[in-house]
Amino acid sequence: MDFQVKWPDNKRFAFTVFDDTDLTTLKNGPVLYRYLQDLGIRTTKSVWPLRGDQIPVIGGATCEEPDYLNWVQHLQRLDYEIALHCVAYHTSTRDQVRQGIDRFRELFGHFPKAHANHEGCFEGIYWGDARLSGWHRWAYLGLHRFKRAGAFKGHVPDSNLFWGDICQEHVDYVRNFVFLDINTLRAAPYMPYYDPGRPYVKSWFASSEAPNLDAFNKLLAEKNQDRLEAEGGACIVYTHFGKGFVENGRVNSRFKHLMNRLSRKNGWFVPVSTLLDYLRDQHGGVHTLTNRERARLQTRWMVDKLKLGGTS
């Protein structure tokens, strides 16, 4: 499939960020987003609507903290998308997921349009080895010495962690594979796509890998920005703005240089779901993944993850 797209208002390329809420608090979040706002860049910030009652593997602020909630709702009023990163920062049962999804709607006026699974939440939908099919799944399990095989149960109907039907009813887009290429659309030209082998997700999207500050700055290096523009592509960065982007109340200087440079280009800077809606419409609907396309995505993902030293 051709990944060239005509962008709105004669823009040359599209750029956005899915900000995984891990480690984000009022100490590091607001200063970063004030900077993005000044640049005119609108992105997607995920949240945990519930705090829960367990110790998280990876934590951060939740929407049960009033001041943090007020700030997130302020971001929404500024046209930032608020998305879901599981309903809490630890594993949640089906009833807790339902409670969290309903709470999200109460807080933000709608169900979450976009979702990404959180590390350590075993209600993750089609996560772990369930992301993969055929030999790719067996290779993944072998690399991990079959640890946590079948551990994620969000898509398993006889599990008390099952919420596949809830996801199917209320969530439009779920994040899956991440790639090293800044041009996410080049790596996954058919996104958003539907995978018939994973029917509880309406459509999936891919992203470009940048889990922390150093990886983000490497991905957004000047030559990569120029290539994204020249290719007329789309970049959906998956990152954690809570991981090193702000220190002692200051936004990292290299990050600021790169984002300043990017913002001066003729790019379309919109939240993730806005971009995916546009791609869906340009493609004439959600693309149904073929077996060959699925295999190509899975192979490329595994190769990229192995380059980084793992396949988690």
PDB file of all heavy atoms in Angstrom, residues 194-218:
ATOM      1  N   TYR A 194      -7.492  -3.056  11.025  1.00  0.00           N
ATOM      2  CA  TYR A 194      -8.215  -4.073  11.784  1.00  0.00           C
ATOM      3  C   TYR A 194      -7.541  -5.412  11.540  1.00  0.00           C
ATOM      4  O   TYR A 194      -7.232  -5.768  10.404  1.00  0.00           O
ATOM      5  CB  TYR A 194      -9.670  -4.126  11.339  1.00  0.00           C
ATOM      6  CG  TYR A 194     -10.460  -5.280  11.918  1.00  0.00           C
ATOM      7  CD1 TYR A 194     -10.875  -5.272  13.243  1.00  0.00           C
ATOM      8  CD2 TYR A 194     -10.794  -6.378  11.126  1.00  0.00           C
ATOM      9  CE1 TYR A 194     -11.600  -6.328  13.779  1.00  0.00           C
ATOM     10  CE2 TYR A 194     -11.516  -7.443  11.654  1.00  0.00           C
ATOM     11  CZ  TYR A 194     -11.916  -7.418  12.979  1.00  0.00           C
ATOM     12  OH  TYR A 194     -12.628  -8.465  13.502  1.00  0.00           O
ATOM     13  N   ASP A 195      -7.295  -6.155  12.624  1.00  0.00           N
ATOM     14  CA  ASP A 195      -6.681  -7.474  12.520  1.00  0.00           C
ATOM     15  C   ASP A 195      -7.752  -8.520  12.809  1.00  0.00           C
ATOM     16  O   ASP A 195      -8.205  -8.651  13.954  1.00  0.00           O
ATOM     17  CB  ASP A 195      -5.532  -7.588  13.531  1.00  0.00           C
ATOM     18  CG  ASP A 195      -4.779  -8.910  13.406  1.00  0.00           C
ATOM     19  OD1 ASP A 195      -5.289  -9.835  12.733  1.00  0.00           O
ATOM     20  OD2 ASP A 195      -3.680  -9.014  13.988  1.00  0.00           O
ATOM     21  N   PRO A 196      -8.182  -9.288  11.802  1.00  0.00           N
ATOM     22  CA  PRO A 196      -9.238 -10.290  12.028  1.00  0.00           C
ATOM     23  C   PRO A 196      -8.883 -11.318  13.090  1.00  0.00           C
ATOM     24  O   PRO A 196      -9.779 -11.923  13.696  1.00  0.00           O
ATOM     25  CB  PRO A 196      -9.394 -10.958  10.653  1.00  0.00           C
ATOM     26  CG  PRO A 196      -8.846  -9.965   9.680  1.00  0.00           C
ATOM     27  CD  PRO A 196      -7.747  -9.259  10.400  1.00  0.00           C
ATOM     28  N   GLY A 197      -7.596 -11.524  13.344  1.00  0.00           N
ATOM     29  CA  GLY A 197      -7.175 -12.465  14.373  1.00  0.00           C
ATOM     30  C   GLY A 197      -7.262 -11.902  15.779  1.00  0.00           C
ATOM     31  O   GLY A 197      -7.070 -12.646  16.754  1.00  0.00           O
ATOM     32  N   ARG A 198      -7.596 -10.609  15.885  1.00  0.00           N
ATOM     33  CA  ARG A 198      -7.692  -9.934  17.185  1.00  0.00           C
ATOM     34  C   ARG A 198      -8.932  -9.042  17.174  1.00  0.00           C
ATOM     35  O   ARG A 198      -8.845  -7.815  17.203  1.00  0.00           O
ATOM     36  CB  ARG A 198      -6.398  -9.145  17.459  1.00  0.00           C
ATOM     37  CG  ARG A 198      -5.209 -10.087  17.659  1.00  0.00           C
ATOM     38  CD  ARG A 198      -3.864  -9.405  17.451  1.00  0.00           C
ATOM     39  NE  ARG A 198      -2.793 -10.392  17.675  1.00  0.00           N
ATOM     40  CZ  ARG A 198      -2.403 -11.294  16.766  1.00  0.00           C
ATOM     41  NH1 ARG A 198      -2.975 -11.327  15.575  1.00  0.00           N
ATOM     42  NH2 ARG A 198      -1.452 -12.166  17.048  1.00  0.00           N
ATOM     43  N   PRO A 199     -10.094  -9.668  17.151  1.00  0.00           N
ATOM     44  CA  PRO A 199     -11.335  -8.960  16.826  1.00  0.00           C
ATOM     45  C   PRO A 199     -11.846  -8.006  17.890  1.00  0.00           C
ATOM     46  O   PRO A 199     -12.718  -7.179  17.593  1.00  0.00           O
ATOM     47  CB  PRO A 199     -12.341 -10.099  16.601  1.00  0.00           C
ATOM     48  CG  PRO A 199     -11.810 -11.239  17.422  1.00  0.00           C
ATOM     49  CD  PRO A 199     -10.323 -11.124  17.323  1.00  0.00           C
ATOM     50  N   TYR A 200     -11.347  -8.069  19.118  1.00  0.00           N
ATOM     51  CA  TYR A 200     -11.871  -7.176  20.152  1.00  0.00           C
ATOM     52  C   TYR A 200     -11.313  -5.752  20.054  1.00  0.00           C
ATOM     53  O   TYR A 200     -11.751  -4.871  20.793  1.00  0.00           O
ATOM     54  CB  TYR A 200     -11.589  -7.745  21.547  1.00  0.00           C
ATOM     55  CG  TYR A 200     -12.413  -8.975  21.863  1.00  0.00           C
ATOM     56  CD1 TYR A 200     -11.800 -10.196  22.125  1.00  0.00           C
ATOM     57  CD2 TYR A 200     -13.806  -8.919  21.878  1.00  0.00           C
ATOM     58  CE1 TYR A 200     -12.558 -11.335  22.407  1.00  0.00           C
ATOM     59  CE2 TYR A 200     -14.569 -10.036  22.154  1.00  0.00           C
ATOM     60  CZ  TYR A 200     -13.936 -11.246  22.414  1.00  0.00           C
ATOM     61  OH  TYR A 200     -14.694 -12.363  22.691  1.00  0.00           O
ATOM     62  N   VAL A 201     -10.370  -5.536  19.152  1.00  0.00           N
ATOM     63  CA  VAL A 201      -9.857  -4.188  18.903  1.00  0.00           C
ATOM     64  C   VAL A 201     -10.401  -3.703  17.563  1.00  0.00           C
ATOM     65  O   VAL A 201     -10.187  -4.346  16.532  1.00  0.00           O
ATOM     66  CB  VAL A 201      -8.316  -4.167  18.904  1.00  0.00           C
ATOM     67  CG1 VAL A 201      -7.787  -2.825  18.400  1.00  0.00           C
ATOM     68  CG2 VAL A 201      -7.795  -4.442  20.311  1.00  0.00           C
ATOM     69  N   LYS A 202     -11.084  -2.556  17.578  1.00  0.00           N
ATOM     70  CA  LYS A 202     -11.642  -2.003  16.338  1.00  0.00           C
ATOM     71  C   LYS A 202     -10.547  -1.706  15.329  1.00  0.00           C
ATOM     72  O   LYS A 202     -10.678  -2.008  14.139  1.00  0.00           O
ATOM     73  CB  LYS A 202     -12.397  -0.708  16.628  1.00  0.00           C
ATOM     74  CG  LYS A 202     -13.709  -0.840  17.345  1.00  0.00           C
ATOM     75  CD  LYS A 202     -14.315   0.548  17.527  1.00  0.00           C
ATOM     76  CE  LYS A 202     -15.560   0.519  18.376  1.00  0.00           C
ATOM     77  NZ  LYS A 202     -16.091   1.889  18.624  1.00  0.00           N
ATOM     78  N   SER A 203      -9.494  -1.045  15.799  1.00  0.00           N
ATOM     79  CA  SER A 203      -8.385  -0.742  14.904  1.00  0.00           C
ATOM     80  C   SER A 203      -7.127  -0.456  15.711  1.00  0.00           C
ATOM     81  O   SER A 203      -7.192   0.046  16.833  1.00  0.00           O
ATOM     82  CB  SER A 203      -8.714   0.442  13.985  1.00  0.00           C
ATOM     83  OG  SER A 203      -9.098   1.573  14.716  1.00  0.00           O
ATOM     84  N   TRP A 204      -6.002  -0.789  15.106  1.00  0.00           N
ATOM     85  CA  TRP A 204      -4.696  -0.649  15.731  1.00  0.00           C
ATOM     86  C   TRP A 204      -3.920   0.482  15.081  1.00  0.00           C
ATOM     87  O   TRP A 204      -4.137   0.806  13.921  1.00  0.00           O
ATOM     88  CB  TRP A 204      -3.872  -1.924  15.563  1.00  0.00           C
ATOM     89  CG  TRP A 204      -4.438  -3.153  16.191  1.00  0.00           C
ATOM     90  CD1 TRP A 204      -5.253  -4.087  15.599  1.00  0.00           C
ATOM     91  CD2 TRP A 204      -4.206  -3.622  17.521  1.00  0.00           C
ATOM     92  NE1 TRP A 204      -5.535  -5.097  16.490  1.00  0.00           N
ATOM     93  CE2 TRP A 204      -4.916  -4.837  17.671  1.00  0.00           C
ATOM     94  CE3 TRP A 204      -3.471  -3.125  18.604  1.00  0.00           C
ATOM     95  CZ2 TRP A 204      -4.904  -5.565  18.857  1.00  0.00           C
ATOM     96  CZ3 TRP A 204      -3.462  -3.848  19.781  1.00  0.00           C
ATOM     97  CH2 TRP A 204      -4.172  -5.060  19.909  1.00  0.00           C
ATOM     98  N   PHE A 205      -2.987   1.051  15.828  1.00  0.00           N
ATOM     99  CA  PHE A 205      -2.047   1.978  15.226  1.00  0.00           C
ATOM    100  C   PHE A 205      -0.641   1.643  15.693  1.00  0.00           C
ATOM    101  O   PHE A 205      -0.439   1.045  16.754  1.00  0.00           O
ATOM    102  CB  PHE A 205      -2.399   3.436  15.550  1.00  0.00           C
ATOM    103  CG  PHE A 205      -2.204   3.851  16.986  1.00  0.00           C
ATOM    104  CD1 PHE A 205      -1.038   4.484  17.402  1.00  0.00           C
ATOM    105  CD2 PHE A 205      -3.206   3.647  17.934  1.00  0.00           C
ATOM    106  CE1 PHE A 205      -0.867   4.900  18.714  1.00  0.00           C
ATOM    107  CE2 PHE A 205      -3.050   4.058  19.255  1.00  0.00           C
ATOM    108  CZ  PHE A 205      -1.873   4.684  19.642  1.00  0.00           C
ATOM    109  N   ALA A 206       0.328   2.009  14.880  1.00  0.00           N
ATOM    110  CA  ALA A 206       1.735   1.814  15.197  1.00  0.00           C
ATOM    111  C   ALA A 206       2.320   3.132  15.685  1.00  0.00           C
ATOM    112  O   ALA A 206       1.662   4.173  15.659  1.00  0.00           O
ATOM    113  CB  ALA A 206       2.480   1.316  13.967  1.00  0.00           C
ATOM    114  N   SER A 207       3.558   3.091  16.125  1.00  0.00           N
ATOM    115  CA  SER A 207       4.226   4.306  16.584  1.00  0.00           C
ATOM    116  C   SER A 207       5.728   4.161  16.410  1.00  0.00           C
ATOM    117  O   SER A 207       6.245   3.089  16.112  1.00  0.00           O
ATOM    118  CB  SER A 207       3.874   4.603  18.042  1.00  0.00           C
ATOM    119  OG  SER A 207       4.157   3.492  18.871  1.00  0.00           O
ATOM    120  N   SER A 208       6.404   5.292  16.583  1.00  0.00           N
ATOM    121  CA  SER A 208       7.864   5.315  16.496  1.00  0.00           C
ATOM    122  C   SER A 208       8.443   5.263  17.897  1.00  0.00           C
ATOM    123  O   SER A 208       7.989   5.971  18.798  1.00  0.00           O
ATOM    124  CB  SER A 208       8.322   6.583  15.764  1.00  0.00           C
ATOM    125  OG  SER A 208       7.870   6.564  14.418  1.00  0.00           O
ATOM    126  N   GLU A 209       9.451   4.449  18.074  1.00  0.00           N
ATOM    127  CA  GLU A 209       9.992   4.109  19.395  1.00  0.00           C
ATOM    128  C   GLU A 209      10.870   5.225  19.959  1.00  0.00           C
ATOM    129  O   GLU A 209      11.876   5.603  19.373  1.00  0.00           O
ATOM    130  CB  GLU A 209      10.815   2.825  19.272  1.00  0.00           C
ATOM    131  CG  GLU A 209      11.544   2.406  20.525  1.00  0.00           C
ATOM    132  CD  GLU A 209      10.733   1.470  21.383  1.00  0.00           C
ATOM    133  OE1 GLU A 209       9.590   1.834  21.701  1.00  0.00           O
ATOM    134  OE2 GLU A 209      11.238   0.383  21.709  1.00  0.00           O
ATOM    135  N   ALA A 210      10.466   5.752  21.118  1.00  0.00           N
ATOM    136  CA  ALA A 210      11.297   6.741  21.820  1.00  0.00           C
ATOM    137  C   ALA A 210      10.886   6.759  23.277  1.00  0.00           C
ATOM    138  O   ALA A 210      10.261   7.704  23.748  1.00  0.00           O
ATOM    139  CB  ALA A 210      11.134   8.121  21.199  1.00  0.00           C
ATOM    140  N   PRO A 211      11.233   5.730  24.043  1.00  0.00           N
ATOM    141  CA  PRO A 211      10.687   5.581  25.390  1.00  0.00           C
ATOM    142  C   PRO A 211      11.167   6.606  26.402  1.00  0.00           C
ATOM    143  O   PRO A 211      10.537   6.776  27.448  1.00  0.00           O
ATOM    144  CB  PRO A 211      11.140   4.172  25.795  1.00  0.00           C
ATOM    145  CG  PRO A 211      12.353   3.907  24.955  1.00  0.00           C
ATOM    146  CD  PRO A 211      12.073   4.582  23.653  1.00  0.00           C
ATOM    147  N   ASN A 212      12.273   7.300  26.105  1.00  0.00           N
ATOM    148  CA  ASN A 212      12.807   8.261  27.075  1.00  0.00           C
ATOM    149  C   ASN A 212      13.433   9.439  26.331  1.00  0.00           C
ATOM    150  O   ASN A 212      13.393   9.505  25.094  1.00  0.00           O
ATOM    151  CB  ASN A 212      13.818   7.585  27.993  1.00  0.00           C
ATOM    152  CG  ASN A 212      14.918   6.871  27.212  1.00  0.00           C
ATOM    153  OD1 ASN A 212      15.400   7.367  26.190  1.00  0.00           O
ATOM    154  ND2 ASN A 212      15.303   5.686  27.662  1.00  0.00           N
ATOM    155  N   LEU A 213      13.982  10.369  27.084  1.00  0.00           N
ATOM    156  CA  LEU A 213      14.527  11.590  26.496  1.00  0.00           C
ATOM    157  C   LEU A 213      15.607  11.309  25.465  1.00  0.00           C
ATOM    158  O   LEU A 213      15.576  11.857  24.347  1.00  0.00           O
ATOM    159  CB  LEU A 213      15.089  12.480  27.608  1.00  0.00           C
ATOM    160  CG  LEU A 213      15.886  13.705  27.138  1.00  0.00           C
ATOM    161  CD1 LEU A 213      14.986  14.697  26.427  1.00  0.00           C
ATOM    162  CD2 LEU A 213      16.606  14.356  28.309  1.00  0.00           C
ATOM    163  N   ASP A 214      16.592  10.483  25.811  1.00  0.00           N
ATOM    164  CA  ASP A 214      17.694  10.239  24.886  1.00  0.00           C
ATOM    165  C   ASP A 214      17.199   9.630  23.580  1.00  0.00           C
ATOM    166  O   ASP A 214      17.648  10.030  22.494  1.00  0.00           O
ATOM    167  CB  ASP A 214      18.739   9.328  25.530  1.00  0.00           C
ATOM    168  CG  ASP A 214      19.516  10.023  26.635  1.00  0.00           C
ATOM    169  OD1 ASP A 214      19.482  11.273  26.692  1.00  0.00           O
ATOM    170  OD2 ASP A 214      20.154   9.318  27.450  1.00  0.00           O
ATOM    171  N   ALA A 215      16.284   8.658  23.685  1.00  0.00           N
ATOM    172  CA  ALA A 215      15.753   8.022  22.484  1.00  0.00           C
ATOM    173  C   ALA A 215      14.931   9.006  21.656  1.00  0.00           C
ATOM    174  O   ALA A 215      14.977   8.993  20.422  1.00  0.00           O
ATOM    175  CB  ALA A 215      14.900   6.815  22.877  1.00  0.00           C
ATOM    176  N   PHE A 216      14.181   9.870  22.332  1.00  0.00           N
ATOM    177  CA  PHE A 216      13.385  10.878  21.630  1.00  0.00           C
ATOM    178  C   PHE A 216      14.297  11.826  20.851  1.00  0.00           C
ATOM    179  O   PHE A 216      14.065  12.109  19.666  1.00  0.00           O
ATOM    180  CB  PHE A 216      12.531  11.662  22.626  1.00  0.00           C
ATOM    181  CG  PHE A 216      11.494  12.551  21.993  1.00  0.00           C
ATOM    182  CD1 PHE A 216      10.163  12.177  21.972  1.00  0.00           C
ATOM    183  CD2 PHE A 216      11.845  13.772  21.427  1.00  0.00           C
ATOM    184  CE1 PHE A 216       9.195  12.998  21.406  1.00  0.00           C
ATOM    185  CE2 PHE A 216      10.894  14.600  20.847  1.00  0.00           C
ATOM    186  CZ  PHE A 216       9.560  14.202  20.833  1.00  0.00           C
ATOM    187  N   ASN A 217      15.330  12.320  21.507  1.00  0.00           N
ATOM    188  CA  ASN A 217      16.230  13.254  20.832  1.00  0.00           C
ATOM    189  C   ASN A 217      16.959  12.586  19.666  1.00  0.00           C
ATOM    190  O   ASN A 217      17.231  13.240  18.647  1.00  0.00           O
ATOM    191  CB  ASN A 217      17.232  13.820  21.830  1.00  0.00           C
ATOM    192  CG  ASN A 217      16.603  14.825  22.784  1.00  0.00           C
ATOM    193  OD1 ASN A 217      15.488  15.293  22.558  1.00  0.00           O
ATOM    194  ND2 ASN A 217      17.304  15.153  23.863  1.00  0.00           N
ATOM    195  N   LYS A 218      17.263  11.325  19.793  1.00  0.00           N
ATOM    196  CA  LYS A 218      17.889  10.601  18.682  1.00  0.00           C
ATOM    197  C   LYS A 218      16.913  10.456  17.527  1.00  0.00           C
ATOM    198  O   LYS A 218      17.279  10.664  16.356  1.00  0.00           O
ATOM    199  CB  LYS A 218      18.366   9.229  19.163  1.00  0.00           C
ATOM    200  CG  LYS A 218      19.066   8.410  18.089  1.00  0.00           C
ATOM    201  CD  LYS A 218      19.562   7.074  18.638  1.00  0.00           C
ATOM    202  CE  LYS A 218      20.249   6.255  17.571  1.00  0.00           C
ATOM    203  NZ  LYS A 218      20.722   4.938  18.109  1.00  0.00           N
TER     204      LYS A 218
END
